[in-house]
Every structure is written in structure tokens, then in C-alpha cells.
Amino acid sequence: MNDLPPPSPDSVPSRGFGHLRQPAGLQQAEAVPAAQHGGGQQGTGRHTTVRITQPDLLRRAQLEKSRGRIVVGALGFGALFMAVALKLAYSTVINPAEPTRLYAALRAVAPPAEHASSRAPITDRNGEMLAMSLPVTALTANPRVLHNVPNVADRLRTVLPQLDRERLIERLSGDRGFVYIARALTPREQQGIINLGIAGIDFEHAERRYYPQGRAAVHVLGNVDVDGKGLSGVERFFDERLRTQRSNPLRLSIDVRVQLALRDAVSQAITDFSGIGGAGVVLDINSGEVMGMVSLPDYDAGDISDATPDQRFNRATVGVYEPGSTFKLLTAAAALEYGTANVYSSRFDASRPIRYGRFTITDYKGKNRWLSFPEVLAYSSNLGAAHMAETFGPQRQREFLRSAGMLQRQSLELPETALPLVPPANGWRDINMYTISFGHGISVTPMHVVTGISAIANGGILRQPTLLAQPPGTVREGTRIVSERTSDIIRRLMRLVVTDGSARNAEVPGYFLGGKTGTAQKTGPRGGYLMNKRIAAFVGAFPMNAPRYALYVMIDEPNPNARSHGYATAGWVAAPAAHTVVSRIAPILGLVPEDPANPALIQATSIPLQPRGAPAAPGAAAAPAVAGTPRTTA
């Protein structure tokens, strides 16, 4: 047998370590023959003796403990990485988070997407856009997360220098979680804010109302607040309709071409005569549609914040003024309709003033003689109109004015309409009858005047004005206030005023314009009339042979100029403005001028100043006028 060397003390058997867990000390295995059986064969069994020291046992025990800890740690890190992987998968694949700054940057340069507005657009009668809602980007902030607010304000003002620094700092301070900084940003401003990279500054999708025509029809359209709710004009009157029928444009009767021409003419007259304001209305007398309505001064509809109260004031439907001599047309219509005067034979005493108590009624540059019916209107005689009103009295005067819509508020589609200022029914006395006959002692809006005159010129039908477009050729129903015969005579008288009376400066050859001027002194806040402060107005219709449109032009507090020879009356102020309006809008409205010398048209629209020749003035012994005694011959 070969002798084996003794085992090393540090030798480790290769068959496992199970036996090492036995009690310590030295473990010894003696060599025992493996088998001594059969065949005389001799087995060769070996016994190996292994010696392990106590430090080795301790080290191996520590290794066993460390391995368990490593396994637990590996499992923990595996779970952590699995959670991170799941979160990444959720945030990038299942429900990706919106990259706010990148998305805002891309949105700033991307083409605008289709926008479903929250408010319907408004157009004129021809489809021209008057008001529309467009998407905008609002700049917001969360003051709770802002640091160094003054520095943030200064950085924001590098992009938005129009912001007030102190107000911006105040807005960005405090404990609020949300504030608006700017309601509408341009794409360039939005990109500039993005480049600043300020935490706590964000963007919000918003909507803004735009008025592409600027100042045109601003008092008709009105405005909306920052939340898109109607504040005034049709924006307020049709607020619910504009909100609920967002895809259906609101089509108005306004023709923006007529509107601009009317505004230019009134504005030029205000400039020429240094007035403080003015108004103008163009009305379709068959349908009652308002083709144009102007009140000056006005403002840009897109910037109401800078508009003054005077600019927001609608002189056409809210301003009440004494109509002056334009009311003489209503007085003449009432006398003809009641049958108390005859246009061909009646004469009225304009040779001396009318005295009623402490009041004296006179004519401005009067003829100082008896006047025929047509002359009363052509020469705008206050005395003649007063005596004409005497023929039917104060009660029937009031009834006629009520039927003509002069005593109640206009039913126009605007929230801004005024109630006329009139004497009470039980206080409508003779002195009121006298003064109201020539447009004093009663205050109405320009819309009242043009609506009433339209009624007596269109055949006698009063139609309430409307701002909604009607189908072409529509003749709306109304209330008859005078007969067709009376209407025909009034049209001839209106034409006479333009050809031979105080409105000669309004004449437009070929369009047979007819109308009446009116100059009225303004009243003060405590009553009484103000010296050298007047309203100059013209009301009329055209063409007189087949009336289509009514017109009203008014200038507030005009002053004389060199071209008016020192006068600031309606014949010098409002009549030329009416001439400008008609000459510009008639072709737009499709009216072709007729031959001014056409005998048939002249005969159909004219009436002589003195149909049968006025008699000589009565002798000086004639009795003075007494209230209630008509000084009229028929």
C-alpha cells in the first residue's frame, strides 16, 4: 500500500460541508477497508482526516448570513426597478404626461385648429362679419409657487412691457392659487414667455370677441365682458340666442357700406361745424329695417375699456332731444287727417307773434304775413304750425302723436332705448299744443322722429324699426296712422321744402329727396333754454315718387363757420350732411337716378307754394291772437 501524506490542516473535502455543522473540535475519519469480500480481491478504502479551525467556522457562518442578506437586497432592488419600469411604461405608453413647455412651444407655431366658438358670429345683411369669437391664449400664474415676485414681474415685462409693474407685483403676490396676467397673447408673446421658463407661469385656452369693422355699428353691436357675456347692444339683447345657436350667425339689417357712408358724413359735419356729437339713421320705410345707425363720438368695439361715457352713449336711441321743426310734418299730417285744414285753401296768420301768458311765440326770419299751407312748411313757420294745431286742439294732437309712436319707448332690439319726455295727459294744455306743434316742449329720440316721418311718407303705415334682416321684398305689417291721400300730400310738401324751402342744400339731382329741417335750442339741467346751444337736424325720405328709404341726420351743438355765413341752423348744417349721405348710399342701395326734368315725376312730387294765391294780409285792426281762437281761414 502506498502511504498517503497526512492531510493539511486547511484542506477541505470536496464532497460538501454538511458535516461541518457537527460539534466543533477535530473530526477524524479513519481509513477502513472498503470491502474484503470475494475473489480474494483486496479493497483499497481510504479515510481522510479534515481539521477546520474555529475562525474558519465563524467566517463561513458570516458568509452564510451575508448571502441571505444579499438575496433579500437583490429582491428589494428588483422590486424597486420593476416599479420604476411600470411607472415609466404608464407615463410614456399607457397615459403619457403632457410636456407643458414643449407643447406650448409647438402650439405657438402650429397652425390654428378648427375652433368651436361659444358664441355665434354676427353679420350684416350681406354676410359681412361684424362680430366673431376667436381662440386666444391667456397668461396665468400660481402665486403660491412663485419666488422673488419683483424679479418675475420684471422678466415678464421684458415680453409684455404694457403691463404695469406695481399692479403686476400686487397681482402675483398673496396666497391665491390662480390669477390672470394677460387675457390674450400673440404667438410671439407666448413664445417669449415660454423662453423665460418661469415656474408657476402657465397658459390657458380662452376666447375673445373680435369686431373686424372697428367702429362701424359699435352702438348697434354693443360689447361682451371678459367671460363672453353680452353687456350692451344686440350682444346683450340676443345674448341667449348667441350662446345657444353658436353655429347659426345672427344676421342684422345693417348694411356696413351704408353704415360707413353715414358715419363719414355725420363725422365730417361735426368737424366742419365744431359740434360735440351727432347721430344718423337710415331706415327702409317698407320693411322697417335699420340700414345704418350712427352715434358720434364712438369708440373701437374691440377696446371698450378706454371708451368714455360720452362715447358709449347712444344718441340715436337713448338721447332725447326736442325735435324742432321736423315735427311740423306731423302737425301738418294731423291737420290733413282730421280734415281741419286743406292744403290748397287754408291760410294761417304768421304776421304777428302769439302771446300766451308770459310766453311769446315768433318766427325765425318770418315772412310777417299770412301763409298758405305749403308755405308754413317751406318757410318753417312756428306761427303757422301753432295756428294749424289750433284747428284740431290739444287732445287730438296727443292722440295723433301717440298713434305715431311718439309717446312710448321704441320696440327696437336694443336694451338701450329711452322713453320720450312729454307732458302728462292731464297737463296737455293749449301752450303745450302750440309749442309741440313746432317741436318744442317734447323730447324724443332720433329713432322716434325717423320712424314717425317714415310712416307718413310710406303710405301711412307705422312699422316698428328692426335690426334683424328681413327677406328681400318684405313689406312688414304695421298700423295705419294716416290715409294714402294724406301721405301723398305730405310727400309733396316734403319735396317742396327741399326744392323751395329751408332744405335746399340737401337736394341730390335725380333722387327726388324730400324732407324737413329742424333747429331746436337745447334745454339746461334745471330747465330753460341754453343760449347758442342747439340741435340741427334733417329728416327726409327718397325718392319721393316711390319712397324706399328714410333718413335722419343730427348735429349736436354746431357752431357757425365761414361757409355757413355765420349761421348754424339745420339748413346750413344738417341739410348738406344729408346731401352727402344720399349721394353716397343711393348707388350702393341700387337706386338709379331719374331725369330731374322728367315732367311726369315733377308733377307726381310737386305742389305749388301758393296753390290758389295767398290773400293780402289783413288790416292792422285785426284782433291779436287769443289762446283757443284759431287764426286760420279755410
Side-chain angles (χ1 to χ4, degrees):
M1 294 180 60
N2 295 328
D3 295 332
L4 296 175
S8 169
D10 295 329
S11 64
V12 179
S14 61
R15 292 180 297 174
F17 300 96
H19 63 283
L20 295 178
R21 299 183 181 276
Q22 297 179 3
L26 295 177
Q27 298 187 15
Q28 181 178 352
E30 294 181 356
V32 178
Q36 296 180 1
H37 304 286
Q41 295 180 354
Q42 185 175 356
T44 57
R46 292 186 176 87
H47 290 272
T48 303
T49 301
V50 179
R51 291 186 178 186
I52 302 175
T53 62
Q54 187 69 23
D56 291 331
L57 292 175
L58 292 176
R59 184 170 64 250
R60 291 175 182 179
Q62 290 175 352
L63 288 175
E64 288 291 328
K65 185 184 295 185
S66 299
R67 185 177 66 173
R69 292 176 178 175
I70 290 172
V71 171
V72 173
L75 292 176
F77 278 107
L80 178 62
F81 283 116
M82 181 63 69
V84 172
L86 291 175
K87 178 62 177 178
L88 288 174
Y90 178 80
S91 298
T92 58
V93 178
I94 300 175
N95 185 24
E98 181 182 286
T100 304
R101 292 185 60 193
L102 177 60
Y103 180 75
L106 294 176
R107 186 177 59 191
V109 298
E114 188 69 22
H115 171 65
S117 65
S118 62
R119 195 172 183 85
I122 302 174
T123 69
D124 80 338
R125 66 187 303 107
N126 301 312
E128 289 292 330
M129 194 64 65
L130 298 178
M132 60 191 302
S133 297
L134 295 178
V136 295
T137 301
L139 182 62
T140 65
N142 182 357
R144 294 175 181 172
V145 301
L146 293 178
H147 300 285
N148 195 354
V149 170
N151 177 261
V152 171
D154 291 335
R155 294 175 66 187
L156 290 175
R157 291 184 72 249
T158 60
V159 180
L160 303 172
Q162 68 272 21
L163 298 178
D164 181 81
R165 185 177 186 273
E166 299 303 323
R167 292 183 61 184
L168 181 57
I169 292 176
E170 179 183 358
R171 183 175 290 271
L172 296 178
S173 303
D175 195 37
R176 291 174 294 180
F178 178 89
V179 294
Y180 279 106
I181 300 176
R183 289 282 183 172
L185 297 179
T186 65
R188 185 184 298 274
E189 290 171 339
Q190 184 179 351
Q191 185 60 53
I193 298 297
I194 293 172
N195 295 337
L196 294 177
I198 303 175
I201 300 297
D202 203 353
F203 303 100
E204 181 184 77
H205 292 289
E207 190 176 84
R208 184 174 180 179
R209 197 70 163 169
Y210 284 94
Y211 302 90
Q213 303 297 335
R215 296 173 179 266
V218 61
H219 293 95
V220 175
L221 296 172
N223 291 96
V224 298
D225 60 17
V226 293
D227 297 318
K229 184 177 180 180
L231 290 177
S232 60
V234 297
E235 292 277 24
R236 179 178 175 184
F237 191 91
F238 293 105
D239 185 65
E240 183 178 356
R241 186 256 188 241
L242 292 169
R243 287 174 176 270
T244 57
Q245 302 181 35
R246 294 175 292 179
S247 60
N248 184 19
L250 178 64
R251 184 165 164 260
L252 299 184
S253 61
I254 296 293
D255 188 321
V256 72
R257 301 168 300 172
V258 173
Q259 183 74 22
L260 293 173
L262 181 62
R263 184 186 183 279
D264 288 346
V266 175
S267 177
Q268 188 61 50
I270 293 172
T271 301
D272 291 343
F273 293 93
S274 305
I276 66 170
V281 179
V282 175
L283 198 68
D284 186 316
I285 67 174
N286 293 319
S287 65
E289 293 172 282
V290 179
M291 308 293 292
M293 188 177 76
V294 169
S295 175
L296 296 176
D298 56 11
Y299 62 95
D300 190 328
D303 191 17
I304 190 175
S305 59
D306 291 335
T308 65
D310 190 42
Q311 290 174 322
R312 286 185 241 175
F313 182 71
N314 188 352
R315 284 174 161 81
T317 63
V318 180
V320 288
Y321 311 95
E322 290 192 347
S325 295
T326 58
F327 245 43
K328 291 172 184 173
L329 291 174
L330 295 175
T331 301
L336 294 172
E337 191 64 18
Y338 288 135
T340 60
N342 187 289
V343 70
Y344 297 104
S345 59
S346 295
R347 305 289 187 269
F348 304 94
D349 185 8
S351 63
R352 65 192 69 193
I354 297 177
R355 293 183 175 84
Y356 188 97
R358 62 187 180 90
F359 300 102
T360 301
I361 299 174
T362 61
D363 278 342
Y364 177 75
K365 294 187 177 297
K367 297 299 182 180
N368 299 316
R369 60 177 175 83
W370 286 65
L371 300 176
S372 66
F373 196 116
E375 286 179 318
V376 171
L377 295 179
Y379 301 143
S380 196
S381 172
N382 295 340
L383 295 171
H387 288 306
M388 194 179 293
E390 277 184 315
T391 65
F392 51 80
Q395 294 306 314
R396 288 203 285 183
Q397 181 190 50
R398 189 176 189 279
E399 291 173 4
F400 184 81
L401 293 180
R402 184 178 63 248
S403 68
M406 297 297 156
L407 306 186
Q408 56 266 7
R409 197 186 305 270
Q410 287 283 350
S411 60
L412 192 64
E413 297 92 345
L414 287 178
E416 302 87 15
T417 57
L419 190 67
L421 304 178
V422 300
N426 57 3
W428 201 296
R429 300 170 296 176
D430 288 341
I431 185 61
N432 304 106
M433 174 195 68
Y434 285 136
T435 59
I436 291 174
S437 70
F438 52 85
H440 287 70
I442 183 173
S443 295
V444 296
T445 68
M447 188 62 73
H448 280 91
V449 177
V450 70
T451 302
I453 301 306
S454 172
I456 63 175
N458 69 6
I461 305 298
L462 177 68
R463 298 182 176 93
Q464 291 299 319
T466 179
L467 286 168
L468 294 179
Q470 305 297 312
T474 297
V475 179
R476 293 171 59 218
E477 295 183 358
T479 304
R480 179 167 294 281
I481 62 172
V482 297
S483 65
E484 292 187 7
R485 182 177 183 277
T486 297
S487 177
D488 177 70
I489 295 174
I490 292 297
R491 288 198 297 269
R492 295 171 183 265
L493 294 171
M494 293 169 66
R495 178 62 182 158
L496 179 67
V497 174
V498 173
T499 58
D500 298 274
S502 58
R504 292 186 184 92
N505 289 329
E507 174 69 324
V508 182
Y511 289 107
F512 291 88
L513 173 66
K516 184 71 184 75
T517 57
T519 306
Q521 282 184 280
K522 294 181 68 174
T523 56
R526 298 183 180 180
Y529 291 100
L530 303 175
M531 294 298 296
N532 298 321
K533 292 186 182 297
R534 60 186 68 83
I535 296 292
F538 173 89
V539 63
F542 64 99
M544 281 289 95
N545 56 305
R548 289 286 309 279
Y549 301 100
L551 167 69
Y552 180 92
V553 175
M554 182 270 285
I555 307 301
D556 193 353
E557 295 188 18
N559 293 284
N561 63 18
R563 288 183 295 174
S564 68
H565 305 286
Y567 294 103
T569 54
W572 290 99
V573 176
H579 165 88
T580 303
V581 173
V582 174
S583 61
R584 288 188 59 181
I585 71 172
I588 292 174
L589 296 173
L591 297 180
V592 178
E594 302 282 356
D595 180 9
N598 187 323
L601 293 179
I602 293 175
Q603 183 179 2
T605 59
S606 64
I607 191 171
L609 273 172
Q610 298 178 344
R612 291 186 181 178
V626 179
T629 304
R631 300 200 52 178
T632 306
T633 63

